[in-house]
Amino acid sequence: MNDRMLVHKVYHRLSLLCLTPHTLPFKPVQFPSALSPAHVRARPLNGTVRSLRTTAVMATSRLRNLVPVNAVASEDGSGGASNGSVSSTAATTALEDEEDSTLGVRYRLPPQEIKDIVDAPPLPALSFSPHRDKILFLKRRSLPPLAELAKPEEKLAGVRIDGKCNTRTRMSFYTGIGIHQLLPDGTLGPEIEVHGFPDGAKINFVTWSPDGRHLAFTIRFDEEESTSSKLKVWVAQVETGIARPLFKSDEIFLNAVFDNFVWVNDSSLLVCTIPLSRGDPPKKPWVPFGPKIQSNEQKSIIQVRTFQDLLKDEYDEDLFDYYATTQLVLASLDGTVKEIGPPAVYTSMDPSPDHKYLLISSIHRPYSFIVPCGRFPKKVDLWTADGKLIRELCDLPLAEDIPIAINSVRRGMRSINWRADKPSTLYWVETQDEGDAKVDVSPRDIIYTQPAEPLEGEGPMILHKLDLRYGGISWSDDSLALVYESWYKTRRTRTWVISPGSNDVSPRILFDRSSEDVYSDPGSPMLRRTPAGTYVLAKVKKENEEGTYLLLNGNGATPEGNIPFLDLFDINTGNKERIWKSDKEKYYETVVALMSDEKEGDLPIDHLKILTSKESKTENTQYYILSWPEKKAFQITNFPHPYPQLASLQKEMVKYQRKDGVQLTATLYLPPGYDSSRDGPLPCLVWSYPGEFKSKEAAGQVRGSPNEFAGIGPTSALLWLARRFAILSGPTIPIIGEGDDEANDRYVEQLVASAEAAVEEVVRRGVAHPDKIAVGGHSYGAFMTANLLAHAPHLFSCGIARSGAYNRTLTPFGFQNEDRTLWEATSTYVKMSPFMSADKIKKPILLIHGEEDSNPGTLTMQSDRFFNALKGHGALCRLVILPYESHGYASRESIMHVLWETDRWLQKYCVSHTSTVNVDPDASKDNSGTVSKDSESKAIAASGGSGSEVSNTEHEGFDSLPRSLLW
C-alpha cells in the first residue's frame, strides 16, 4: 500500500470539553495530571525574577493540576494577520499569553488558516481483494483527543500495553468499511457498507480471506465495562456486507500484544486469544522482596543502546507474562472452536502455503532488564495445522550481547520462513561471524532450506553462501530465485540469481552496486499472488518469444528528479525494455501494484494490468488501472483536494552547491499568489534532517520529484505557507565520510557548510529575507537545529527543535548511524553535542518534547537538561513538554498546541525580527544576494504589513551588536 494513502490526517471536531472527575473515563487519583495542558518552562525575557503574584498563581496552578481538568482552548491562537504579521491586538495580549503558557493553564489553537488545514477530514485507505475485483474504502477519523492517550498503559519489555484492551497502546482505527466492485471499464460499483455491528465501533486488523469472499476484523468500544473495550473478532460476507461475531461465546477476546489472527484457509482462522483461565492482574507488592541487582561478575562485554520501557523487577516480569500470554484458538466460520497448544507468549504464527503446518514463534524466560523483548529467549516450533507439535526448530538464548556495530545480528537460526513457491518447505539463515559485524569472515551468512518433515537422517541443505549480510529472497520456482545481501559500512548491495532446485547451476551476480547510487538503481522486481496466497516473482512472457522476463519497478532517479518506470527485464541477457514511465513534464506517476496476478504461470504481456498513482504539484493523488496492450488508464478514485486554500502553492526543486563542491538540492515552496518582484523577500522556514553518505557523488544525487503533490501532515512545516512564509523543505544536509573516514568526525563542519549554502540560495533568489530565516527539525533534525544555532548563529534568527537529543554522552553506545562508542570516539561525541556548546547559543530556540518519548535515542530528559544548560547561560529559550505524547505527537490538543507554539515563536523571533544593515544606499540587489536599501524596505513592509510596527533594532535576547549580511 502506498504510504501516501496512509497519511495521517486530522481531527475534525472542534469541541475540547471541560472534563471533571465525574466525567473522566478513569480515576483522577491515579493520574493527577491526566489532561493538564502542556508544561511550559520559559525564561522571562527581561531576566527579572517573577513577581510574588505570579509565584502565587503558579502555586495555585500546581494544586489545580492535581485534578485532570482541560480548559477550553483559545480560538484566536496567536492572532495575527493573514500575511504572517503580528497584529496590535495580539501584541496587547502578549503578556497574558506568556503568563498563561508559562503556568501551563490551557492548550492553545493555532491561527485559523492553519487550524482549518489540520482539521480537514482524512481520506480513506484502500485495500484490494485477492482476485483484484473488489476494493475496500477503509474510513478513518481525524486526530484523536488527548483523553485517549491519557489512558493507563503498561510499559513492559520495550512495548506499551493497553491493559484494558490487551493490545498495544494508541492504536489507530477505522470507523467504517465500504466495499466497491471494480467494474471492467475501471469504474467502481455502488458502495456496500459493512454493517451489523453497533455504532461507534473501532475497527482494526481488516483482512481478506484467501478466496476473497469474507473479511475478518476486530471491533472494540470505549465503554467503562471491562469487556466492552477488549477486541472481538468479527467476519463479514463481502457480497452482502453483513457482519457477525466469529465466536458464539461472549467470553473469547483477542490478545493483540504481539500477533492477532491469520486465515489458515478459506473458512478458518487461527486467533490469539486471552486465556479463559486468566484471573486478575498480579498486584505490585507493597514491600519489595529485595534490592534490584544486576551483575557482570563474568566480565562479559555487553553494549546496548539506550532502550526504553524495559522490565525493572520481578513484578514487571509477572505483569508482562500476564498480558502477553496467549491461548491459540482455531475457529471456523461455521462456529467450531478448538484450543490448540498450551498458553504461552506467542509472537508470530505463520501457516504453510498448503495449510498443513504452522510455524509458531514464542518467547520465554529468563527475561532481561537491559534489552527489549525482541532479544528475549526465542523458540520456534513446527506444528500440524491442528496444533500437534512436530519438532522444535530452535530455542535461542537471551541475546543481551549483540554488538552495536551496524549489520550485527543474533546468533543462531534467524529469518525462518516458508518458501513462497513450495507447499511446505522452510528456509532460514545462520550467521558465521557470531553475529559480530566487526569480525571478518567468509562466508558471513549461510542460507539453509529443508522440508517441513524431512526424511529420517536428511539434514538441511545449503542453498546459498553470502559474504555480506543477508537481506531477503524473492522466490519464483526451482529454477529461479533472487537473493539479496548488503553491507552498510561500504553501502554495497548485491543481488544474486540462484536455481534452488539445481545444484549444478552456479549462482551469479545480477546487480552489484552502491545502495547510495540512486541513479543506477535498476528497480525492484514485482511480485504476483499465488492461489495459495503467497507472493512470487511475476514472470512475463512475450508471444512467440523465448526468454524469462521480470517486471522491474523503479523510482527512476535522474538529475532532473525521479521519473518512475516499469521495465521488462530479460534475466538471462540483462536486456531491458521500458514499457511504461511517468509523465515527467507535469505529473508524478508511480506503479503501486500488479493487478493481473490472479492466475498461475507466466503472465502474457498483453494481459498486463497495473495500479498506478498520479499527482502533480497542485493535484492530489488519484489512482488508475492501466491495461495492456492499449495502455489505457481508467481513473478509479476522485478524492477531493485536502486543502484547497493552498491548491495554488508554488513548488520548485532547487539545486545549489556547497563550498566543498558537493551538489545539494531542496524543495522550495512559496505561498499562493506570491510574486517576488511585487512582494519582496518573505520570512522563511528551513526544515531538514541530515543524512550520512560514503561519497560526494552519491550525496549530490537528486532524490524526489518536482512534480510530487505537496502532502501536508498535521505538524508539517508547509502549514506556514498559509502564514505567508517561504518554506525550504528537506535541503540536503549530507555528512560524508569517504573511504575509511567516519562521517561524524566532520559533522559540524559539513552541517554548517550545507546550511550556509541553503541560506545563500534562498537569499540569492530574493524569496527570503536574510534576517528572517528560521530553522527547525524533528528528532535528528532537532539535533541539527541546535547545532546550527550553536555553530552558525549568523544564518538564522531562531530555531524550533522537536523531540531531539542534544547530549551524546547520554547515548554512549551509539546513536543514529554512529556505531562507535563514546570511549572509542570521545571527541566526536563531545563535538557533535550541542549541549556542550550551550554557551554559544544566543538565538531564540524553542524546544518541544513528548513526555512519554519511547525512542531509544531521544529520552525526554535530553530536552530537559538541554533547556537547563541554555537557561544557565542566559539563552532565550522555551521548553514545552507534551503530556502523554511519545516521539511523534498524536492528539489533537497536543498537535494544535505545538502549532500555536511554533507560530508564536516564528511571529515573534522571525517575522518581527530585523537588524540594522549596513548597505550602500545606491546599490541594487545583485546575484550575490546583497540587499539594497529599497529591497530591505520592501521586505520590512511585506513582512510587517496590516499596521504592524517593525523595529530596526535587535529583539531583546539577540546579539547585542547589529548583524551584517554575509552575502
Side-chain angles (χ1 to χ4, degrees), residues 43-120:
R43 172 180 175 265
L45 296 184
N46 58 6
T48 61
V49 179
R50 292 186 181 92
S51 68
L52 292 176
R53 184 188 66 83
T54 303
T55 305
V57 174
M58 290 181 65
T60 305
S61 176
R62 293 192 188 100
L63 291 174
R64 185 163 57 243
N65 281 341
L66 292 177
V67 179
V69 177
N70 184 27
V72 178
S74 169
E75 283 289 343
D76 59 2
S78 64
S82 60
N83 69 350
S85 64
V86 181
S87 69
S88 57
T89 301
T92 61
T93 60
L95 290 178
E96 292 180 40
D97 288 348
E98 181 74 20
E99 181 178 280
D100 286 350
S101 299
T102 302
L103 300 180
V105 171
R106 56 183 175 174
Y107 287 94
R108 295 303 190 95
L109 292 172
Q112 192 69 36
E113 53 266 43
I114 289 179
K115 188 174 75 68
D116 287 346
I117 299 173
V118 177
D119 272 337

Side-chain angles (χ1 to χ4, degrees), residues 262-320:
V262 62
W263 288 92
V264 176
N265 51 48
D266 293 336
S267 60
S268 60
L269 300 97
L270 184 61
V271 184
C272 294
T273 68
I274 298 172
L276 293 173
S277 60
R278 189 179 81 171
D280 295 331
K283 294 185 177 180
K284 190 178 183 71
W286 286 101
V287 179
F289 297 115
K292 299 175 183 178
I293 298 174
Q294 297 185 53
S295 174
N296 191 33
E297 296 182 41
Q298 297 80 22
K299 297 184 179 181
S300 302
I301 298 177
I302 298 177
Q303 300 178 350
V304 295
R305 295 205 176 193
T306 49
F307 298 116
Q308 299 197 53
D309 302 335
L310 301 177
L311 299 177
K312 299 179 290 296
D313 50 31
E314 293 181 8
Y315 167 72
D316 275 1
E317 292 181 308
D318 293 341
L319 203 60
F320 177 76

Side-chain angles (χ1 to χ4, degrees), residues 539-543 545 547 549 568 601-606:
K539 292 199 292 188
V540 178
K541 61 183 178 183
K542 288 185 173 182
E543 188 175 357
E545 286 191 32
Y549 297 94
L568 194 62
D602 294 357
L603 176 66
I605 184 66
D606 287 345

Side-chain angles (χ1 to χ4, degrees), residues 669-692:
Y669 293 90
L670 297 169
Y674 171 74
D675 185 316
S676 60
S677 61
R678 179 192 66 214
D679 302 327
L682 297 173
C684 177
L685 175 58
V686 178
W687 199 270
S688 192
Y689 192 99
E692 294 178 15

Side-chain angles (χ1 to χ4, degrees), residues 802-848:
R802 300 193 318 223
S803 297
Y806 310 102
N807 184 354
R808 285 308 174 190
T809 68
L810 297 177
T811 55
F813 290 105
F815 59 88
Q816 202 73 5
N817 293 321
E818 177 60 68
D819 58 11
R820 296 172 296 175
T821 71
L822 169 64
W823 299 271
E824 293 171 323
T826 304
S827 61
T828 297
Y829 272 67
V830 171
K831 187 177 180 181
M832 286 185 70
S833 297
F835 180 87
M836 305 300 179
S837 301
D839 59 323
K840 299 178 182 178
I841 296 179
K842 306 300 182 184
K843 295 298 176 65
I845 182 168
L846 172 63
L847 304 173
I848 302 175

Side-chain angles (χ1 to χ4, degrees), residues 141-187:
R141 62 156 182 187
S142 299
L143 294 175
L146 186 62
E148 290 192 11
L149 274 63
K151 292 177 180 178
E153 61 181 359
E154 303 290 348
K155 302 173 183 178
L156 302 167
V159 298
R160 295 182 174 184
I161 298 172
D162 182 335
K164 181 174 277 190
C165 295
N166 223 105
T167 66
R168 299 292 180 94
T169 59
R170 311 180 184 208
M171 288 198 311
S172 59
F173 59 87
Y174 303 113
T175 58
I177 304 173
I179 306 172
H180 293 267
Q181 183 76 31
L182 191 59
L183 302 178
D185 62 357
T187 60

Side-chain angles (χ1 to χ4, degrees), residues 743-755:
N744 284 338
D745 290 344
R746 296 178 57 239
Y747 173 85
V748 171
E749 173 190 339
Q750 297 188 66
L751 178 71
V752 171
S754 297

